[in-house]
Amino acid sequence: MNSIELGGIGMTSQRTRERLIQRLKEQGVKNQRVLDIMRVTPRHLFLDEALSQRAYEDTALPIGYGQTLSQPYVVALMTEALLSQGHREKVLEIGVGSGYQTAILAQLVGHVYGVERIKPLLNKARSRMRTLGLRNVTLAHSDGSVGWEEHAPYDAILSAAAPEHVPEALLHQLAPGGVLVIPVGPEGDQELRVVTRQAEDAEFEEQVIERVRFVPLLSGVTR
Ligand code: SAH
């Protein structure tokens, strides 16, 4: 990959990216580390070439297989919520998709474990992690509605796909003091929830931070 591809030209240039960051600030994103990492992460590398011109618009974009690259504002909001109580070492991401959110997290936490149920999307995400030199990411082709028991417990879990109800397994795999950031509800009418596990006991505290639109969390995997 040469520097033009990584740095971007025209609509993927630094100025275009700066406008997006400005917009995120105006919408209330305050965490400076999140804004800085989003400024330097080339979102156009997570899209097919035909769409890369639109990479720095604050909108969700198609990545094939009926799935979407999340809207930057939503990525920022979820990442900010995940970091709101300070550093998170071990993070589980459900619904890696393009790998954009994965790349943002990898630059802000200790290690990201990511699962995706659509094999070709996972393969592409994997090669993007290599291109960007992100080594603290472990990806698997599996169904995240049951979490990823092998590496549990997690300091934080982020889901980019919406179940109708919070899966029990995800609550079980949260470490004490851990946080789960997840859209919940039927298609087209979901709320973004932040569920925090108390440090001393297995009690959970829940907060709704935004109304959102996500693709559904489906079970099983596809080749
Ligand atoms: N953060 C991603 C979002 C992709 S859309 C991005 O910005 O690119 C959500 C993703 O969740 C889709 O790729 C979909 O295939 C995946 N998904 C849905 N249900 C899943 C499940 N049970 N396990 C793992 N991934 C799932």
Side-chain angles (χ1 to χ4, degrees), residues 67-70 95-98 116-118 142-144 160 215 218:
Q67 307 305 320
T68 53
L69 175 58
S70 306
V96 165
S98 68
E116 169 55 54
R117 65 182 290 278
I118 300 176
S142 71
D143 176 359
V215 298
L218 303 173

Side-chain angles (χ1 to χ4, degrees), residues 195-208:
V195 185
T196 310
R197 178 173 173 169
Q198 305 304 301
E200 297 79 25
D201 46 40
E203 293 290 309
F204 296 90
E205 199 180 271
E206 211 172 88
Q207 203 191 340
V208 174

Side-chain angles (χ1 to χ4, degrees), residues 102 174 212:
T102 320
L174 269 189
V212 286

